[in-house]
Every structure is written in structure tokens, then in C-alpha cells.
Amino acid sequence: MSEVEKNKKSVEVLWNKYISENPEKKNLKTPLSFYFSDNEFDANDCADLVAKGIKKATATSLWWFEKNNEPLPKVGNQYIITDWNGNAKAVIETTKIEQVAYNRITSEFAEIEGEGDKSLEYWKKLHKDYYTREMKPFNEQFHENMIIVCEQFKIVYLK
């Protein structure tokens, strides 16, 4: 079995365990699985922070949703969080969504997102760098007023 097949299996196994313990959810299809960030170190760190209950939010640029023609998240959406290699770690459920300009992100949100030292300064540097990398291949540039989709979530099932 290839690494990709093993990781896909990991997502299926986690979802099936969740369904077996929550039979009222049996008619739901396996949700989207993904890792946070664009590099292995951060993706694995974020997966661990989610599993430990420290990371309870994420901040995706509205630009990303529009550029990728992806629907905006909704309260109640469920996702399977993986590490960089696709190993399933947790099922999460969206609890709150706000669209906020980057320059209006609060220290409270930075703390809920749970990365680094949880400060607003850390959050701003980390995310400005991330959004800049994400936009660069399209010759588009980060700006302080860009809208960020601030999504809060809770863990509904852990590996």
C-alpha cells in the first residue's frame, strides 16, 4: 500500500470510528480533509495544536476562496484535520465565522488561533508572510485591508 493510500485509509478509519460512536451521523458523507499551512513543519505543528485543544481557529484569506472558486465555510461544517502527510488527527466542526480586515484582527482571535506565542504580533507576521507567499504566484500582493475569513471550530472527535 502506498503512502497516499495509507493516508486516505487513515481519514476513512477516523471517520468510520466517529460515525460508529455517533450513529445519528451515519448518513453524512466523509468530510473534506486537509492540513493547515503550506509547509510540513507548520502543518504538523498545527495538527498537534488542534489535537491538544490549543488551536481553535483558522484564518483563510477571502482572496483564497475567490481565487480557488471555493465556497465559504458555514457554521456546522465538519472537516478532518490531517498532518502534512495526510494522517488523520481530528474531526472539527465550525462554530463561528467572521470576515475581518487583516488590520482589524484582534489579540483575542490570535490567542484562539493558538499558534506561536499566541500574540497578535506573532499572528500578524506569520499570516502576512503566509498570505504573501500564497498570492505571489498570481502576481498579487498582500495588503493590510484584505478580508480574512476567521473561522472558529471545536473538536468533535480525536484520533
Side-chain angles (χ1 to χ4, degrees):
M1 183 181 295
S2 74
E3 194 66 29
V4 170
E5 289 169 327
K6 273 195 266 184
N7 294 336
K8 188 174 181 183
K9 185 85 172 151
S10 161
V11 167
E12 291 172 13
V13 167
L14 181 72
W15 183 249
N16 288 336
K17 284 182 181 177
Y18 172 63
I19 294 297
S20 72
E21 293 179 26
N22 297 277
E24 71 280 6
K25 309 270 186 186
K26 70 180 178 208
N27 293 327
L28 296 178
K29 66 179 201 170
T30 306
L32 179 68
S33 63
F34 64 88
Y35 53 81
F36 293 108
S37 201
D38 62 350
N39 65 79
E40 185 171 2
F41 178 84
D42 289 339
N44 292 342
D45 186 45
C46 286
D48 288 342
L49 291 171
V50 168
K52 290 175 182 171
I54 297 168
K55 181 174 178 59
K56 300 175 189 168
T58 191
T60 308
S61 66
L62 181 60
W63 174 91
W64 182 89
F65 286 103
E66 291 171 347
K67 189 56 98 176
N68 292 286
N69 199 26
E70 288 288 334
L72 290 169
K74 295 182 177 130
V75 170
N77 284 7
Q78 291 187 332
Y79 305 98
I80 297 174
I81 301 306
T82 72
D83 64 14
W84 180 257
N85 293 315
N87 297 304
K89 300 293 183 181
V91 179
I92 62 168
E93 183 174 305
T94 302
T95 58
K96 183 178 180 180
I97 298 165
E98 292 181 290
Q99 292 189 25
V100 180
Y102 170 88
N103 59 8
R104 297 203 179 269
I105 297 292
T106 64
S107 56
E108 291 81 10
F109 183 78
E111 186 172 340
I112 292 167
E113 193 162 356
E115 297 175 39
D117 66 4
K118 302 181 195 168
S119 70
L120 182 57
E121 295 75 25
Y122 181 92
W123 186 95
K124 282 191 165 192
K125 171 154 183 20
L126 181 78
H127 287 79
K128 179 179 181 180
D129 292 348
Y130 176 78
Y131 302 138
T132 299
R133 287 191 311 271
E134 159 179 90
M135 297 173 86
K136 187 176 182 175
F138 300 94
N139 292 321
E140 296 187 45
Q141 295 185 352
F142 165 85
H143 57 89
E144 295 275 327
N145 293 318
M146 66 188 287
I147 300 299
I148 307 304
V149 179
C150 299
E151 184 176 358
Q152 295 182 37
F153 56 81
K154 65 181 179 182
I155 295 171
V156 293
Y157 192 77
L158 267 179
K159 179 178 175 183

